[in-house]
């Protein structure tokens, strides 16, 4: 039978390669086999890491080899996952991948946009509005059963606030659509909505540093202006910026979005604390577990780690209280996500705070009202928390 | 195990190379047989025994057919028939039982128990290889393999074990016992392998990511839907042909020469031409072992069309036990028949690009059918391509962004699907040997480094601390 064209073409190419070229061939073989073997050996002999700071998670341990696990195939699957986690120079490979995507003109990597001036934003085209509806209805039920004045303050995601984070062609269409839904659903649930996206977006457009470039949170300045909106809605005024002494807590903050994007070339953010004269007078207590008190509003040990935003209130906890001993003040129950951590120092100047995170708090949130004598309820989250899960589903429990 | 995995690249393969090349020539088949079983058992621990059973059964039948083929054709034919029956029964049970049961139940209303067994990886490939062996022996195209290890090596050979190419026995029988190894051939294998790795990990996966996102979203746009299906079209080609290249490259490193499995199918000027270029080892198998034995085109137009129908229904089913694959096979039966009867002479008179555009359109819609295991979803997607279905609009910012940010990738995909890169390389090699060697060396190493980066990244999953 006649040899097909494809085989002839392959044979021609092979023939030229088979001409004497010994030295170069041997170099290629050594590089190829060496690359595979050296990394394989390094994987075996290097000690395993327990935790990845970049990814903020525990890495997998070597699975136990049992006859059962081997036969049902779970051992080999677990081993593959373990090998990926413990692969030598894991973070370096991640960055090479990100750089290659950028070089191909992809304008983003791992679901994160490469914006202007080193701004990174998580891309979310169509978030889950069912979760949003569940959360808002639950918040409304909680509010009406509690009988307390309340408001829902929603901060934007980076893609809502920093226009420069988005490629021009992508535009703000998706973000606008979500906010339209938030407004409609808050309205139909009967919640008073404090829109923190619009004012912060305006400030960002004016060049203010209100959101981090490499993290999904607002900056301390952003939290300050957000709090200003909330306090105004409650009929109070935020203290002027001049009252605060701005301390650069870290000039080397690489946030979560930066980790996801794998963009090693993007410069860090600056993380500030806004100090005020009497902030030592406040008693900040982490009420879950051992129940420790913080020095002021901060846990500075996090500034030495990658996860620097957790310096605010010591990161995620189920329940944190802030009081000003010796002063009788109104108590604000804040049902929140981590955006509230940077806002807490500003809110605390007006109210005693009970900050509860429904994702971690396993008891009845409603009981906190009586326990701490709450006078007012503030829901304070960013839009992502409202859509990511039906986290507030549990709120009305025990109120009917 | 698959080639594009960290455990293959950095643990299994270096160990195999070491074992293979420290072993004397005579024992190398034994090494290959053993490591191939490990390769298979890594992903399918229990089915290794099924595989060994297949090897043993076909080895015995091969010997029997070989023994009687010249003296007693009837007896040889009986053994051949038994071998085919056993192989097809095994394949039929694991791959088609549940589908057959569901069809039977829906036709008759009689409930038959479905079985809950996972499909052994690669069973369609290695069963077809084993069948080609007994048939080749019966037809005197090859001699029966007396050496069990050599035969076991042929069936289980890890480079082509789970995703082809389907190597016909007669193409490889001599290589099983005498093959030459050389640095030049090994180096050429490294180049071919690296090229395949790049196609799979860099191109197919990147295209697949876009297709997955678009097809997975509840809602899309007309432009988004087109981008999605175009990306799938590239994904399936680079995924499959990349895997074949890796197999061919590995074969060269081990001293084997496999035939090409793809020949720039997206430059085909007709659907007939496309099927001469796509998954060549499968179409060849069906032509040699089904179409021609049925009479091919020698028994008149009517019979030829029936033969084509049989071949294409089987080709569809071979790809999976589900209606969409059957329909996909029939879709190509219709197109190929149409071309044979009227279209081909017309296409030949028209400029080449007309045929190419027509072919690509036919192929793209074919892939939509191929990928739509849920036919309802397929119809909705088809609707979206024309502004209905789940297309919310003609264009959105998100879709426009997807298109713009894929332009670079798209350009690479288009160029890589044409013969030009390889032809340029060939020309360079003819004229400037040293430059070609340095260039391909750099390319191979870059493919390895980037491939590793993408493989590691695929497990990369940073936790945002608000989503424990």
């Amino acid at each position: 039978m006649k040899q097909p064209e494809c085989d002839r073409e392959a044979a021609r190419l092979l023939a030229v390669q088979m001409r004497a070229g010994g030295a170069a061939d041997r170099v290629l073989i050594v590089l190829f086999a060496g690359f595979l073997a050296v990394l394989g050996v390094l994987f075996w002999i290097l000690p395993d890491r327990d935790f990845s700071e970049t990814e903020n998670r525990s890495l997998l341990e070597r699975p136990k080899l049992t006859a059962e696990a081997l036969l049902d195939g779970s051992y080999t699957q677990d081993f593959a996952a373990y090998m990926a986690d413990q692969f030598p120079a894991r973070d370096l490979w991640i960055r090479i991948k990100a750089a290659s995507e950028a070089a191909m003109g992809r304008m983003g990597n791992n679901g994160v946009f490469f914006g202007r001036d080193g701004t990174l934003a998580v891309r979310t085209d169509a978030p889950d509005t069912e979760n949003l509806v569940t959360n808002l209805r639950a918040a409304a039920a909680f509010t009406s059963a509690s009988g307390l004045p309340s408001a829902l303050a929603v901060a934007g995601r980076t893609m809502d606030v920093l226009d420069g984070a988005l490629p021009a062609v992508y535009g703000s269409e998706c973000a606008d659509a979500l906010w339209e839904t938030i407004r409609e659903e808050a309205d139909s649930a009967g919640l008073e909505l404090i829109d923190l996206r619009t004012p912060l977006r305006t400030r960002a457009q004016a060049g203010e540093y209100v959101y981090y470039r490499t993290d999904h949170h607002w900056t301390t300045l952003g939290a300050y202006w957000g709090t200003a909106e909330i306090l105004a809605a409650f009929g109070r005024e935020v203290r002027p910026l001049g009252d605060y002494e701005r301390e650069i807590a870290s000039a080397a903050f690489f946030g979560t979005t930066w980790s996801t994007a794998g963009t090693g070339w993007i410069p860090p953010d600056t993380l500030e604390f806004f100090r005020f004269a009497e902030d030592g007078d406040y008693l900040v207590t982490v009420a879950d577990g051992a129940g420790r008190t913080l020095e002021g509003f901060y846990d500075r040990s996090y500034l030495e780690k990658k996860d620097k935003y957790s310096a605010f209130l010591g990161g995620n906890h189920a329940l944190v209280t802030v009081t000003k001993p010796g002063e009788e003040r109104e108590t604000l129950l804040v049902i929140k996500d981590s955006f509230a951590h940077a806002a807490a120092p500003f809110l605390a100047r007006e109210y005693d705070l009970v900050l509860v995170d429904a994702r971690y708090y396993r008891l009845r949130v409603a009981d906190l009202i009586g326990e701490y004598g709450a006078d007012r309820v503030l829901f304070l989250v960013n839009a992502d928390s409202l859509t990511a899960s039906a986290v507030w589903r549990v709120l009305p429990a025990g109120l009917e | 195990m698959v080639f594009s995995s960290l455990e293959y690249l950095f643990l299994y393969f270096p160990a195999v190379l070491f074992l293979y090349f420290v072993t004397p020539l005579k024992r190398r088949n034994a090494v290959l047989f053993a490591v191939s079983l490990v390769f298979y058992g890594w992903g399918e621990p229990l089915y290794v025994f099924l595989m060994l059973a297949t090897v043993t059964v076909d080895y015995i039948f091969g010997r029997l057919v070989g023994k009687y083929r010249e003296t007693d054709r009837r007896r040889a034919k009986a053994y051949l028939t038994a071998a085919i029956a056993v192989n097809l029964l095994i394949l039929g049970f694991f791959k088609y039982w549940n589908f057959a049961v569901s069809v039977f139940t829906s036709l008759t209303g009689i409930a038959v128990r479905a079985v809950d067994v996972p499909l052994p990886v690669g069973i369609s490939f290695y069963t077809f290889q084993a069948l080609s062996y007994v048939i080749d022996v019966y037809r005197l195209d090859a001699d029966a393999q007396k050496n069990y290890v050599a035969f076991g090596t042929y069936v289980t050979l890890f480079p082509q074990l789970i995703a082809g190419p389907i190597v016909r026995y007669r193409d490889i029988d001599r290589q099983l016992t005498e093959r030459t190894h050389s640095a030049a051939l090994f180096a050429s294998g490294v180049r071919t392998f690296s090229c395949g790795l790049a196609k799979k990990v860099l191109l197919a996966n990147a295209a697949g990511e876009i297709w997955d996102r678009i097809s997975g979203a509840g809602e899309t746009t007309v432009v988004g839907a087109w981008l999605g299906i175009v990306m799938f079209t590239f994904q399936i080609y680079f995924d499959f042909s990349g895997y074949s290249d890796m197999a061919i490259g590995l074969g060269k490193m081990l001293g084997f020469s496999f035939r090409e499995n793809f020949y720039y199918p997206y430059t085909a000027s007709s659907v007939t031409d496309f099927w001469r270029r796509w998954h060549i080892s499968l179409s060849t198998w069906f032509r040699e072992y089904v179409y021609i034995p049925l009479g091919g085109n020698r028994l008149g137009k009517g019979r030829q069309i029936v033969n084509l129908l049989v071949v294409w229904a089987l080709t569809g089913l071979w790809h999976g036990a589900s209606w969409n694959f059957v329909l996909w096979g029939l879709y190509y039966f219709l197109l190929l028949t149409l071309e044979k009867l009227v279209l081909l002479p017309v296409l030949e008179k028209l400029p080449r690009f007309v045929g190419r555009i027509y072919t690509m359109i036919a192929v793209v819609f074919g892939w939509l059918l191929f990928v739509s295991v849920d036919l309802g979803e397929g119809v909705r997607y088809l609707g979206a391509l024309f502004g209905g279905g789940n297309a919310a609009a003609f264009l959105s910012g998100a879709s426009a962004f997807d298109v713009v940010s894929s332009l670079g990738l798209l350009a690479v995909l288009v160029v890589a699907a044409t013969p030009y890169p390889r032809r340029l390389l060939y020309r360079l090699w003819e004229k400037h040997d040293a430059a070609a060697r340095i260039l391909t060396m750099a390319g191979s190493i870059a493919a390895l480094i980037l491939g590793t980066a993408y493989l590691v990244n695929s497990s990369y999953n940073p936790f945002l601390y608000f989503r424990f």
Side-chain angles (χ1 to χ4, degrees):
Chain A
M1 202 182 79
K2 177 174 114 213
Q3 194 184 25
E5 177 61 27
C6 56
D7 289 327
R8 264 183 286 142
E9 203 170 282
R12 272 203 303 274
L13 186 59
L14 181 61
V16 288
Q17 296 183 52
M18 296 294 282
R19 294 191 306 215
D25 286 348
R26 278 195 290 276
V27 172
L28 176 60
I29 293 168
V30 167
L31 286 176
F32 173 76
F35 181 80
L36 301 183
V38 167
L39 278 169
V41 167
L42 282 178
F43 164 70
W44 272 121
I45 62 174
L46 288 180
D48 286 351
R49 292 190 303 157
D50 299 329
F51 186 80
S52 163
E53 284 236 310
T54 321
E55 294 172 65
N56 202 29
R57 69 177 176 95
S58 298
L59 298 174
L60 294 170
E61 294 169 27
R62 180 171 301 172
K64 276 216 180 68
L65 181 60
T66 64
E68 196 189 346
L70 194 62
L71 286 181
D72 70 17
S74 65
Y75 177 77
T76 56
Q77 275 178 19
D78 293 348
F79 189 90
Y82 154 75
M83 184 164 180
D85 265 15
Q86 300 293 353
F87 199 75
R90 181 174 163 79
D91 293 350
L92 174 68
W93 296 111
I94 306 291
R95 291 187 188 187
I96 292 176
K97 192 263 182 181
S100 117
E101 293 282 337
M104 262 213 267
R106 289 300 301 281
M107 300 156 86
N109 184 39
N110 294 346
V112 171
F113 288 126
F114 303 152
R116 281 194 291 280
D117 307 324
T119 305
L120 301 168
V122 173
R123 169 181 184 176
T124 313
D125 286 358
D128 191 330
T129 47
E130 261 176 56
N131 286 335
L132 174 74
V133 171
T134 307
N135 287 330
L136 294 192
R137 301 243 163 101
F142 184 89
T143 298
S144 64
S146 71
L148 297 174
S150 94
L152 166 71
V154 184
R157 305 157 297 173
T158 310
M159 67 175 272
D160 298 324
V161 174
L162 299 187
D163 295 334
L166 304 180
V169 55
Y170 185 84
S172 64
E173 196 180 315
C174 290
D176 295 342
L178 175 66
W179 282 83
E180 192 52 46
T181 313
I182 292 175
R183 265 188 293 277
E184 280 166 16
E185 293 300 332
D187 202 38
S188 89
L191 287 164
E192 184 197 336
L193 176 68
I194 306 172
D195 170 1
L196 301 181
R197 177 205 185 195
T198 313
L200 268 78
R201 190 179 179 200
T202 310
R203 288 189 182 275
Q205 283 162 348
E208 285 194 55
Y209 184 38
V210 288
Y211 271 62
Y212 295 113
R213 288 178 298 101
T214 69
D215 194 69
H216 63 282
H217 289 109
W218 51 17
T219 62
T220 312
L221 182 64
Y224 172 84
W225 289 122
T227 310
E229 296 291 326
I230 295 167
L231 291 177
F234 291 169
R236 305 209 178 187
E237 254 179 62
V238 74
R239 309 285 176 92
L241 261 181
D243 275 15
Y244 297 91
E245 185 196 329
R246 291 170 69 161
E247 174 199 341
I248 293 181
S250 171
F253 173 41
F254 294 102
T256 52
T257 324
W258 180 88
S259 294
T260 308
T263 40
W265 62 86
I266 284 191
D269 271 303
T270 301
L271 185 142
E272 287 179 291
F273 294 157
F274 285 18
R275 312 298 307 268
F276 46 99
E278 75 277 28
D279 69 355
D281 299 349
Y282 293 82
L283 183 62
V284 181
T285 312
V286 177
D288 53 349
R292 65 200 174 98
T293 55
L294 290 177
E295 241 176 85
F297 294 91
Y298 312 103
D299 180 343
R300 287 175 175 271
S301 70
Y302 281 103
L303 296 176
E304 307 306 315
K305 301 179 186 162
K306 175 174 177 299
D307 181 12
K308 294 183 174 32
Y309 186 83
S310 283
F312 293 105
L313 295 189
N316 283 311
H317 295 288
L319 185 64
V320 176
T321 60
V322 183
T323 54
K324 196 173 184 190
E327 253 184 64
E328 201 50 47
R329 305 193 304 166
E330 267 190 43
T331 297
L332 183 63
L333 173 62
V334 187
I335 297 169
K336 57 87 192 174
D337 66 11
S338 54
F339 271 61
H341 303 174
F346 307 117
L347 285 169
R349 300 197 72 182
E350 299 296 320
Y351 297 98
D352 282 355
L353 302 177
V354 178
L355 300 139
V356 60
D357 195 322
R359 289 167 300 180
Y360 312 115
Y361 193 70
R362 292 285 156 253
L363 305 173
R364 272 194 211 154
V365 176
D367 293 347
L368 294 170
I369 296 173
E371 205 173 314
Y372 290 94
D375 302 292
R376 187 181 277 276
V377 180
L378 169 66
F379 297 92
L380 172 54
V381 287
N382 91 97
D384 193 76
S385 293
L386 284 180
T387 52
S389 70
V391 54
W392 286 348
R393 194 196 298 274
V394 296
L395 287 184
L399 276 171
E400 283 87 3
Chain B
M1 214 182 299
V2 293
F3 307 145
S4 52
S5 71
L6 297 171
E7 61 272 24
Y8 174 84
L9 284 173
F10 297 99
L11 297 180
Y12 176 86
F13 189 54
V16 165
L17 282 181
F18 178 76
L19 283 175
Y20 185 77
F21 284 102
V22 298
T23 307
L25 283 174
K26 284 202 148 137
R27 302 258 170 274
R28 285 190 181 170
N29 278 347
V31 171
L32 279 187
F33 191 22
V35 298
S36 295
L37 290 176
V38 171
F39 179 86
Y40 194 69
W42 178 264
E44 302 280 346
L46 285 174
Y47 288 147
V48 162
F49 300 102
L50 178 70
M51 153 96 49
L52 277 174
T54 303
V55 169
T56 309
V57 165
D58 289 309
Y59 172 75
I60 293 169
F61 277 121
R63 293 289 301 265
L64 289 169
V65 171
K67 189 173 171 191
Y68 292 107
R69 63 181 183 178
E70 276 161 88
T71 53
D72 185 348
R73 283 304 273 180
R74 273 187 54 198
R75 207 149 162 192
K77 192 167 194 172
Y79 285 126
L80 171 68
T81 313
I84 293 174
V86 170
N87 281 293
L88 290 184
L89 277 175
I90 296 176
L91 178 63
F93 173 75
F94 282 101
K95 191 162 178 175
Y96 300 107
W97 177 265
N98 288 346
F99 181 56
V101 160
S102 77
V103 173
F104 181 76
T105 306
S106 68
L107 287 179
T108 62
I110 302 167
V112 180
R113 216 156 65 111
V115 287
D116 183 23
V117 288
L119 181 68
V121 168
I123 189 170
S124 315
F125 287 95
Y126 73 72
T127 304
F128 270 36
Q129 288 210 171
L131 283 174
S132 87
Y133 163 70
V134 263
I135 300 173
D136 283 355
V137 171
Y138 175 77
R139 292 177 174 177
L140 312 183
D141 284 334
D143 291 329
Q145 178 57 260
K146 298 205 165 61
N147 184 329
Y148 180 78
V149 170
F151 179 68
T153 305
Y154 161 67
V155 178
T156 64
L157 198 57
F158 72 87
Q160 31 75 6
L161 177 58
I162 61 173
I166 300 165
V167 178
R168 280 180 309 165
Y169 184 72
R170 68 169 131 168
D171 287 341
I172 203 183
D173 55 349
R174 233 170 299 144
Q175 300 174 26
L176 283 171
T177 41
E178 336 159 359
R179 54 185 181 272
T180 46
H181 305 85
S182 73
L185 187 62
F186 193 104
S188 173
V190 170
R191 294 180 197 110
T192 312
F193 179 84
S194 309
C195 176
L197 184 70
K199 278 164 133 183
K200 161 78 185 112
V201 178
L202 304 183
L203 301 185
N205 289 1
E209 190 191 304
I210 298 169
W211 156 251
D212 285 344
R213 183 153 37 75
I214 291 173
S215 63
E219 209 176 72
T220 182
T221 62
V222 176
V223 172
W226 278 103
L227 178 71
I229 194 65
V230 166
M231 282 298 173
F232 178 74
T233 300
F234 281 116
Q235 181 194 6
I236 192 164
Y237 168 61
F238 285 110
D239 197 272
F240 201 176
S241 80
Y243 208 88
S244 290
D245 286 351
M246 286 191 273
I248 292 167
L250 291 169
K252 285 187 197 168
M253 293 183 219
L254 302 171
F256 290 95
S257 145
F258 300 144
R259 301 173 70 158
E260 296 289 300
N261 207 18
F262 289 87
Y263 188 54
Y264 312 108
Y266 292 165
T267 62
S269 51
S270 66
V271 171
T272 310
D273 189 25
F274 173 78
W275 276 104
R276 287 194 199 114
R277 295 161 172 270
W278 179 274
H279 200 179
I280 299 166
S281 64
L282 181 72
S283 350
T284 308
W285 198 96
F286 273 112
R287 194 184 63 234
E288 294 285 313
Y289 300 115
V290 181
Y291 181 68
I292 292 178
L294 285 174
N297 58 3
R298 290 159 310 179
L299 304 172
K301 271 260 150 64
R303 181 60 195 266
Q304 187 192 1
I305 288 170
V306 172
N307 292 344
L308 279 173
L309 176 62
V310 171
V311 165
W312 285 97
L314 290 176
T315 303
L317 264 181
W318 184 89
H319 285 84
S322 151
W323 280 115
N324 66 307
F325 293 116
V326 178
L327 291 176
W328 179 74
L330 295 177
Y331 170 79
Y332 276 111
F333 160 72
L334 287 176
L335 284 171
L336 291 167
T337 309
L338 188 69
E339 288 194 354
K340 276 207 167 40
L341 296 181
V342 289
L343 222 48
L344 275 183
V346 179
L347 283 173
E348 262 160 37
K349 279 185 207 115
L350 293 170
R352 204 115 184 248
F353 76 90
V354 177
R356 287 191 167 147
I357 290 168
Y358 141 77
T359 307
M360 274 322 291
I361 292 171
V363 167
V364 166
F365 284 109
W367 290 135
L368 180 57
L369 190 50
F370 184 89
V371 77
S372 303
V373 175
D374 178 339
L375 283 172
E377 252 172 49
V379 170
R380 269 193 298 287
Y381 199 96
L382 182 67
L385 292 173
F386 299 100
N390 56 350
F394 180 75
L395 182 66
S396 67
S399 297
F401 169 78
D402 280 333
V403 172
V404 172
S405 88
S406 312
L407 286 177
L409 174 66
L410 213 51
V412 175
L413 291 170
V414 169
V415 172
T418 69
Y420 302 115
R422 190 155 87 166
R423 286 186 189 155
L424 272 179
L425 179 66
Y426 176 70
R427 233 172 269 164
L428 180 69
W429 215 300
E430 274 189 317
K431 291 195 182 126
H432 309 282
D433 191 273
R437 281 178 205 276
I438 289 168
L439 187 73
T440 51
M441 184 185 309
S444 299
I445 298 305
L448 268 185
I449 291 175
L450 288 177
T452 306
Y454 277 68
L455 287 175
V456 173
N457 188 79
S458 67
S459 73
Y460 186 64
N461 185 17
F463 266 103
L464 306 183
Y465 33 88
F466 62 101
R467 275 187 202 154
F468 272 108

